[in-house]
Amino acid sequence: MRVIYAGTPEFARVALERLLAARFEVPLVLTQPDRPAGRGMKLQASPVKQLAQAHGITVAQPRSLRLEGKYPEDASAAQMAIEKARADVMVVAAYGLILPAWVLQAPRLGCLNIHASLLPRWRGAAPIHRAIEAGDTETGVTIMQMDEGLDTGDMLLIERLPIGPEDTTASLHDRLADLGGRLIVEALEMAACGGLTRTPQPTEGVTYAHKIEKAEGAIDWTLPAEVIGRRVRAFNPFPGASTAMRGEAVKVWLARVESGTVGGVPGQVLSAGSEGIQVATGDGALCLQELQRAGGKRLRAAEFLNGFPLEAGEIFDPPAGGEVA
């Protein structure tokens, strides 16, 4: 089976690696154009492109696939590459471009998407973040037959995965990427012998995982500790939960919700020691366990306090506090 692969970040790289290990023929990879990254802001190839180049696979990086859109020359070149590939199917995972009808219809078996949620819950751009933020206890991967809607296509395979109380987007991402790679190999093996069954998505339970904005990381201490704690985990590694003390930006990477009734106003430091920094919230307290100053490293609370001493009674700044660069 000849497979065109479309994807960009690490999540997509894992599945491509699995397809190559399973010896599927991949004549073409589509991925996002190189982007500036790092302190020097040098152009950097996506993880999918790096893997494709390491295996000598042809790579196309159109800015758009719309033949009548802003970059018709890119779309036309991509169309020629897709036609030349003579693929049976296209596999799509976190690609980042909308696929118009001509792309969806180009391969014999259409386009299959690896989606990191239990559809129809968390359609959209950030299903892993939103599942943790919402307090979901499980998620999973859905292999979906793509149509022109936003993650509305028929389901082909689905497998559930528990979300642990300490899971961050980073830790859950890695498990879902591994699961997605395994499921897409299974789906293509079934498709090769005509064994895939299409199931329409339920009309109830639809939610949308809107793109994560950097401003969402700002901690609002008037919220319940449980809500803030989930956001700390959901926004790790991006954009990171942020607050400020004495006008200096601080990011919180790890926190534990404390049980019991606490005093103090929201954002007030209740105690600060080697076990963490206990902060009052709108309901309950949050123990900050790993923090980062602007320009510094992530540190456990004890190390952080060595360079940034805090006293009980001090109050973290409201959400207007700065961001850590």
Side-chain angles (χ1 to χ4, degrees):
M1 183 177 286
R2 291 172 65 84
V3 182
I4 294 174
Y5 193 83
T8 299
E10 178 63 19
F11 180 87
R13 186 203 65 80
V14 173
L16 176 57
E17 189 172 51
R18 286 291 192 94
L19 291 174
L20 294 172
R23 300 195 178 278
F24 284 96
E25 187 176 357
V26 182
L28 175 66
V29 159
L30 302 177
T31 192
Q32 286 277 314
D34 297 357
R35 308 288 189 199
R39 291 188 178 275
M41 295 302 286
K42 294 181 179 179
L43 288 178
Q44 183 172 317
S46 72
V48 165
K49 179 180 178 179
Q50 293 177 41
L51 179 60
Q53 289 181 324
H55 286 266
I57 301 170
T58 299
V59 175
Q61 297 177 271
R63 289 166 292 179
S64 171
L65 290 168
R66 296 186 182 278
L67 295 171
E68 299 177 354
K70 187 177 180 181
Y71 303 105
E73 67 282 3
D74 284 31
S76 295
Q79 186 177 39
M80 292 179 62
I82 289 171
E83 290 174 352
K84 183 179 178 181
R86 296 179 289 106
D88 298 292
V89 67
M90 180 185 290
V91 171
V92 183
Y95 177 30
L97 287 185
I98 294 174
L99 303 190
W102 74 262
V103 178
L104 297 173
Q105 297 164 7
R108 177 174 61 87
L109 298 175
C111 300
L112 308 189
N113 178 242
I114 307 170
H115 189 75
S117 83
L118 302 174
L119 290 172
R121 185 159 178 79
W122 302 126
R123 295 174 178 172
I128 303 175
H129 302 76
R130 298 305 183 191
I132 293 176
E133 182 186 18
D136 291 2
T137 58
E138 66 173 3
T139 184
V141 168
T142 305
I143 305 298
M144 176 188 66
Q145 185 79 45
M146 296 181 70
D147 59 19
E148 293 188 66
L150 177 62
D151 299 328
T152 55
D154 292 345
M155 301 181 294
L156 304 172
L157 286 179
I158 189 165
E159 187 165 324
R160 298 174 182 275
L161 194 70
I163 299 177
E166 297 183 355
D167 263 324
T168 64
T169 288
S171 64
L172 190 55
H173 165 281
D174 291 349
R175 301 209 313 277
L176 286 168
D178 186 65
L179 175 58
R182 176 168 62 79
L183 281 188
I184 194 59
V185 169
E186 183 179 334
L188 292 184
E189 289 174 344
M190 294 172 68
C193 59
L196 273 180
T197 301
R198 296 172 60 151
T199 303
Q201 292 187 36
T203 56
E204 297 181 355
V206 176
T207 55
Y208 288 92
H210 297 288
K211 181 181 177 181
I212 302 297
E213 302 293 341
K214 190 174 182 181
E216 293 184 70
I219 296 175
D220 180 355
W221 293 106
T222 66
L223 294 174
E226 184 68 38
V227 173
I228 300 173
R230 292 201 304 262
R231 290 186 174 181
V232 169
R233 294 188 292 116
F235 300 152
N236 179 353
F238 176 84
S242 60
T243 186
M245 172 64 77
R246 306 171 203 143
E248 181 173 341
V250 176
K251 280 201 171 179
V252 178
W253 295 107
L254 185 64
R256 181 183 68 245
V257 177
E258 299 283 58
S259 59
T261 304
V262 299
V265 300
Q268 185 173 26
V269 176
L270 302 174
S271 65
S274 59
E275 296 301 312
I277 302 164
Q278 191 179 63
V279 183
T281 71
D283 183 7
L286 198 67
C287 182
L288 314 185
Q289 299 169 294
E290 184 176 292
L291 307 95
Q292 178 188 10
R293 296 174 70 178
K297 298 179 180 179
R298 298 186 186 188
L299 298 173
R300 300 294 294 185
E303 298 174 288
F304 178 84
L305 290 169
N306 285 336
F308 198 114
L310 293 174
E311 299 292 337
E314 291 190 83
I315 300 176
F316 280 98
D317 299 343
E323 293 286 338
V324 173

